[in-house]
């Protein structure tokens, strides 16, 4: 009986006969990070398959998942091809701090990111944002709304993200006219700013439109009486 059990253990299952590339492709279809963790623990081949699947991903979203600095970093460090990263916070979601942003800044993919969302991550400050943004030189779309950043972060964005096309600053009430002016002056490809809930004057927005007349200030209808000639 024992011999029979040992023979069964030695037999490969159909999935074990799959080529490694196909196995990695299957694992890339998993969207639940708990499933990825459990899959990685099955055996050495599957663990390498999960790592390879992460390396092929161009988009990674932690929104809605309860993850922290370390668990987020472990996954992103293997996502070499990443273009879009969403670590926004939802009701049960990400608990990212400045420590996590510092760790993420060491990932190879950060310099190639075109889209980044830090929406609602209230555990971060200018310190972590500046560290991360200083390496995100290819960013085109940035959502940093619902955070407590100040002009310090906007100065860093202005100096590090020349390709920036859109930015969400929803509810960033500690950002002032100085930060916005620096952003629009240096990010010459900027097309839109979501400024809902910010504590800046209408005159500030007039100044931004004077610098960049084609700039879209969201939400639409926010400045109904402004015309720039």
């Amino acid at each position: 009986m024992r011999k029979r059990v040992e023979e069964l253990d030695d037999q490969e299952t159909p999935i074990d006969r799959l080529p490694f590339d196909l196995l990695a492709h299957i694992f890339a279809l998993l969207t639940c990070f708990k499933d990825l963790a459990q899959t990685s623990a099955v055996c050495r081949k599957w663990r390498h398959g999960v790592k390879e699947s992460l390396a092929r991903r161009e988009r990674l979203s932690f929104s809605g998942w309860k993850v922290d600095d370390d668990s987020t970093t472990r996954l992103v460090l293997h996502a070499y091809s990443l273009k879009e990263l969403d670590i926004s916070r939802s009701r049960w979601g990400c608990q990212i701090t400045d420590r996590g942003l510092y760790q993420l800044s060491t990932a190879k993919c950060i310099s190639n990111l075109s889209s980044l969302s830090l929406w609602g991550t209230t555990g971060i400050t200018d310190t972590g944002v500046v560290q991360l943004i200083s390496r995100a030189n290819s960013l085109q779309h940035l959502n940093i709304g619902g955070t407590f950043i100040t002009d310090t972060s906007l100065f860093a964005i202005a100096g590090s993200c020349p390709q920036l096309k859109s930015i969400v600053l929803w509810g960033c009430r500690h950002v002032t006219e100085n930060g916005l002016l620096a952003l629009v002056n240096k990010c010459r490809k900027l097309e839109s700013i979501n400024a809902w809930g910010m504590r800046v004057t209408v005159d500030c927005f007039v100044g931004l439109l004077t610098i960049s007349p084609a700039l879209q200030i969201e939400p639409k209808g926010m400045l109904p009486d402004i015309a720039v000639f």
Side-chain angles (χ1 to χ4, degrees):
M1 181 66 177
R2 179 178 297 178
K3 184 178 180 180
R4 177 59 177 165
V5 170
E6 290 175 351
E7 289 175 351
L8 290 173
D9 289 341
D10 291 336
Q11 291 179 358
E12 284 189 327
T13 61
I15 196 170
D16 289 326
R17 301 190 191 102
L18 291 178
F20 182 76
D21 284 349
L22 182 55
L23 193 65
H25 176 74
I26 293 172
F27 293 157
L29 301 177
L30 296 176
T31 58
C32 174
F33 298 111
K34 183 178 180 181
D35 291 343
L36 279 173
Q38 292 175 340
T39 300
S40 181
V42 170
C43 63
R44 182 180 298 177
K45 182 178 180 180
W46 283 33
R47 181 164 61 252
H48 290 320
V50 168
K51 287 183 179 180
E52 178 63 24
S53 73
L54 287 170
R56 298 179 181 185
R57 289 176 186 250
E58 294 189 353
R59 184 179 186 278
L60 201 56
S61 175
F62 295 94
S63 180
W65 298 104
K66 193 172 184 179
V67 291
D68 56 18
D69 293 335
D70 293 331
S71 58
T72 302
T73 302
R74 279 195 298 270
L75 290 170
V76 174
L77 285 175
H78 293 293
Y80 305 122
S81 303
L82 206 61
K83 300 293 185 183
E84 301 177 21
L85 176 60
D86 182 355
I87 49 178
S88 55
R89 180 175 181 174
S90 63
R91 183 178 179 185
W92 306 109
C94 301
Q95 304 292 327
I96 300 297
T97 68
D98 285 342
R99 175 172 167 269
L101 295 188
Y102 181 84
Q103 292 176 169
L104 288 172
S105 71
T106 66
K108 293 181 179 179
C109 64
I110 296 301
S111 61
N112 296 319
L113 286 182
S114 62
S115 178
L116 172 65
S117 177
L118 299 170
W119 169 265
T121 48
T122 54
I124 65 174
T125 69
D126 290 325
T127 301
V129 172
V130 170
Q131 177 66 33
L132 182 63
I133 289 298
S134 66
R135 291 205 56 238
N137 309 121
S138 299
L139 270 187
Q140 297 180 26
H141 308 284
L142 175 62
N143 185 342
I144 201 165
T147 65
F148 298 120
I149 63 163
T150 70
D151 289 342
T152 300
S153 288
L154 259 65
F155 294 150
I157 295 166
S160 301
C161 305
Q163 307 300 321
L164 195 66
K165 293 182 179 180
S166 68
I167 186 169
V168 176
L169 296 169
W170 186 99
C172 293
R173 299 192 172 191
H174 301 290
V175 169
T176 72
E177 177 180 352
N178 293 331
L180 289 172
L181 287 172
L183 185 72
V184 175
N185 268 312
K186 290 192 174 183
C187 298
R188 305 304 293 180
K189 295 183 179 182
L190 193 62
E191 299 172 356
S192 69
I193 298 177
N194 187 318
W196 190 94
M198 296 180 68
R199 293 175 177 173
V200 290
T201 65
V202 171
D203 288 341
C204 171
F205 293 124
V206 173
L208 298 181
L209 292 174
T210 301
I211 298 169
S212 179
L215 183 67
Q216 297 294 315
I217 297 177
E218 304 289 344
K220 293 181 179 179
M222 187 174 176
L223 307 171
D225 301 321
I226 292 179
V228 177
F229 301 96

